[in-house]
Amino acid sequence: MLSDLTTCPACGAANAADARWCGQCYAPLYGGDAAAPGGDEPPSQPTAQSAEAEWTCARCDGVNPIDVGVCGHCGSEIYASFGDSEPVRLATVTVGSVLVPGMALSRVGRQLEGLTVGFLVLAAFGFAAVLRSRVAIAIVLVTYGIALWVLSVHDAQRIAAGDRGAVLLRAPVLKAVVFGSIAGLALLLLFVLSSVQDLS
């Protein structure tokens, strides 16, 4: 078997005995720059242009280099961008979003975003219920929850309609919302705990 191989004089790569060009470096295997018997041309070499190719993530619309298989923005695999997606009826999205916060995003294939929005809205409503004696804080929390809920409805409807460019809660924005919400709820918790200690 090894006798059926030809070693490339330029790079040392093993090639089939009948190969005219090195499969590794594209150097001719028949000495000099002369064409091999049969006059075949070497395969085209990768160009700088092909290295700059990009793909757009179907989940977050983030642009990624073609040689990266996972979206750097949301973590979706490149193959998810090429899969067939079932069309979602706009009425289904609207009814679902009215019932449960984040459900509409889940129905258009954005389960993680749907769960995140649902958790944040329910957390805001929960904290508002606990802090109902502090009316101003409760109103801010309820307003925040409703605004996030409305944004998720908007995004789900835009995705269902095929208008991904109008989506507002893209992965980077949603990350900022999550971190901002966690920081805000932590500060709110500290404020409430300090006011409780002041009363004792």
Side-chain angles (χ1 to χ4, degrees):
M1 286 287 178
L2 292 178
S3 62
D4 293 342
L5 297 177
T6 301
T7 303
C8 175
C11 72
N15 293 278
D18 61 346
R20 293 180 175 97
W21 302 93
C22 176
Q24 183 72 30
C25 71
Y26 305 107
L29 296 177
Y30 290 100
D33 291 333
D40 291 343
E41 293 295 318
S44 62
Q45 297 183 10
T47 62
Q49 186 178 19
S50 65
E52 296 173 6
E54 299 172 330
W55 62 277
T56 302
C57 177
R59 169 171 249 146
C60 72
D61 294 326
V63 177
N64 301 281
I66 195 68
D67 58 345
V68 176
V70 176
C71 178
H73 306 279
C74 72
S76 294
E77 290 192 21
I78 186 173
Y79 304 110
S81 296
F82 303 113
D84 294 331
S85 58
E86 275 187 38
V88 181
R89 290 190 349 227
L90 205 54
T92 304
V93 171
T94 305
V95 170
S97 62
V98 171
L99 297 175
V100 178
M103 181 186 280
L105 285 173
S106 296
R107 288 195 175 185
V108 294
R110 297 206 173 182
Q111 288 82 9
L112 183 60
E113 289 92 337
L115 287 172
T116 303
V117 167
F119 172 77
L120 291 174
V121 170
L122 293 177
F125 290 170
F127 271 99
V130 169
L131 299 171
R132 63 185 175 272
S133 62
R134 301 191 183 277
V135 176
I137 294 174
I139 289 174
V140 167
L141 287 170
V142 168
T143 304
Y144 165 78
I146 291 172
L148 195 55
W149 195 345
V150 168
L151 283 175
S152 72
V153 171
H154 169 270
D155 286 357
Q157 289 178 338
R158 294 296 87 219
I159 293 167
D163 185 12
R164 293 182 181 273
V167 172
L168 300 173
L169 292 176
R170 296 175 185 265
V173 173
L174 194 56
K175 285 178 190 175
V177 168
V178 168
F179 289 124
S181 299
I182 291 170
L185 291 175
L187 288 173
L188 184 62
L189 207 57
L190 288 173
F191 171 75
V192 169
L193 289 175
S194 69
S195 65
V196 167
Q197 288 178 350
D198 289 343
L199 293 175
S200 350

